[in-house]
Amino acid sequence: MTPDEIEQAVINNIRENKDQEIPKLKACLSSSSADSKEKAYCADKLGIIYNFIDDDLNSKTQSIQYFHIAYKLAPNNATYADNACLHTFTSIIKYSTIAVSSKKEANFLLSNFDLMAKCADYVFPWFKPVKDFGKEFLIAGAASNLGKFYYKNAQTKDDLETAKKFFKIAYDSETYLKVTHGGNLAAVHYKLGEIKEAATLYEECLGTEITEDFPKTEKANCAGVLSLIALESKAFKQALSFSKIAHKLDPDNGYYLHNLASSYFATKQYNKAKHYFEKCTGAELTDQFTEGTRDSCYHGLELIGSLNTEL
């Protein structure tokens, strides 16, 4: 038999006998007569069984939990430590680079994230993915992808708070993409009405040099949101300054054209406001620049037309 055939035979045997083995091993764990060494052995075997039952995320979660029970009961046992940390990492590591696409995946990652973070030091630096990319990058990636899922699918304030928690972990964990993580964190602060915190992060973003990983469109977005914050707080000169930056970085963006026109209007520079309101009526619609925002551009032109101002 080849090594792959041997491995498959072992897996098949585990699956065939799981219904008999699982109750015995669980009874061992709950037994008052079993010592910690015996319970650790039973927990580790349960981890192995649940790992091979199928690829269902619930089974993977149970597997990880039993491996960590074994490790906790016998922390000096290298086999239990390997099983706990390597199975945690290999089950979760893909979410460092692949988006979380379902609530089931989100719950899996959420329930095991702390265990992954705790295992990071144990598997570093000899575990190849950690050696290649660094534990901070992997933790930040998984945290960021979990934050993005909760932010995108938020239905309650608690969902946004969960997104904020994991964006903050990503922001604090790693420096290579810190400005991107900061932008994500700023967005959720803004959506939660935490304007001061959002503005601080967007200003930090605005002071960052443009690179391949931080393109000018992302920097323009930071300036664009800052201009909106300034407009909402009636800091019109500041709004105009930020609007100019956003427009310079992304001149065809209708959202920035609207903010620039609104800033000129607020500072009573009606000729310039009219020019940019006219430009934004013909801009391409996007997630930022919606039909509603375009209607606001037409409304701005109507307001200017109604003014008794020499244009």
Side-chain angles (χ1 to χ4, degrees):
M1 294 178 70
T2 67
D4 287 343
E5 290 172 335
I6 293 171
E7 181 181 2
Q8 190 58 53
V10 171
I11 293 172
N12 291 339
N13 182 62
I14 289 171
R15 289 174 175 171
E16 289 171 4
N17 294 289
K18 68 180 189 301
D19 292 336
Q20 293 77 37
E21 291 298 315
I22 288 175
K24 293 178 185 177
L25 293 168
K26 285 185 175 180
C28 160
L29 268 182
S30 60
S31 172
S32 58
S33 61
D35 60 23
S36 59
K37 184 178 179 180
E38 291 173 304
K39 289 184 177 182
Y41 173 84
C42 294
D44 186 66
K45 292 304 177 188
L46 280 167
I48 292 171
I49 290 172
Y50 277 106
N51 183 61
F52 289 118
I53 284 178
D54 53 44
D55 289 327
D56 178 75
L57 291 178
N58 290 331
S59 296
K60 292 297 182 186
T61 295
Q62 288 181 287
S63 171
I64 289 169
Q65 289 171 346
Y66 281 120
F67 281 136
H68 278 272
I69 289 171
Y71 182 29
K72 186 176 181 180
L73 288 168
N76 294 322
N77 186 303
T79 298
Y80 300 158
D82 285 349
N83 282 344
C85 288
L86 289 179
H87 280 87
T88 302
F89 248 82
T90 53
S91 295
I92 294 175
I93 201 123
K94 64 179 181 179
Y95 296 109
S96 296
T97 54
I98 298 175
V100 178
S101 59
S102 69
K103 186 70 173 178
K104 195 172 185 179
E105 289 181 348
N107 287 337
F108 171 71
L109 187 53
L110 189 64
S111 63
N112 293 296
F113 187 87
D114 288 343
L115 294 178
M116 184 186 81
K118 288 177 182 177
C119 277
D121 286 326
Y122 180 83
V123 301
F124 183 80
W126 56 269
F127 186 45
K128 192 175 188 311
V130 179
K131 185 177 180 181
D132 289 347
F133 297 103
K135 62 180 180 179
E136 293 84 4
F137 178 85
L138 297 172
I139 290 171
S144 178
N145 284 330
L146 188 56
K148 287 175 185 176
F149 177 85
Y150 275 95
Y151 182 77
K152 181 180 179 181
N153 299 283
Q155 296 181 342
T156 66
K157 183 180 178 182
D158 285 344
D159 288 337
L160 289 174
E161 290 290 349
T162 300
K164 182 172 75 172
K165 171 187 173 181
F166 284 97
F167 283 148
K168 183 70 164 61
I169 289 172
Y171 178 74
D172 289 340
S173 295
E174 186 244 341
T175 57
Y176 180 63
L177 295 175
K178 193 175 187 73
V179 65
T180 299
H181 300 318
N184 291 336
L185 181 58
V188 75
H189 274 306
Y190 184 78
K191 201 162 189 176
L192 283 165
E194 298 165 356
I195 305 304
K196 183 178 179 181
E197 292 85 351
T200 298
L201 287 164
Y202 279 127
E203 286 173 5
E204 181 180 293
C205 149
L206 201 57
T208 304
E209 183 180 349
I210 293 171
T211 64
E212 183 178 345
D213 295 305
F214 180 57
K216 64 180 181 179
T217 51
E218 285 193 32
K219 189 165 186 172
N221 180 64
C222 297
V225 180
L226 283 168
S227 70
L228 183 60
I229 290 171
L231 281 168
E232 290 171 344
S233 62
K234 301 188 186 307
F236 298 132
K237 289 183 179 179
Q238 191 176 40
L240 181 58
S241 176
F242 288 133
S243 296
K244 287 179 178 179
I245 294 171
H247 173 61
K248 183 177 180 180
L249 290 167
D250 193 356
D252 296 323
N253 187 302
Y255 176 69
Y256 306 144
L257 286 165
H258 174 267
N259 285 358
L260 183 57
S262 299
S263 299
Y264 276 125
F265 185 88
T267 54
K268 299 182 179 181
Q269 299 180 63
Y270 299 118
N271 275 320
K272 291 181 179 179
K274 180 183 178 183
H275 171 73
Y276 287 106
F277 275 135
E278 286 174 343
K279 287 194 72 173
C280 82
T281 60
E284 181 181 351
L285 294 176
T286 64
D287 289 340
Q288 281 184 314
F289 185 61
T290 62
E291 288 279 9
T293 312
R294 178 182 280 174
D295 289 342
S296 180
C297 296
Y298 284 113
H299 181 61
L301 288 171
E302 290 173 4
L303 284 176
I304 293 172
S306 68
L307 293 173
N308 293 322
T309 305
E310 186 174 347
L311 297 177

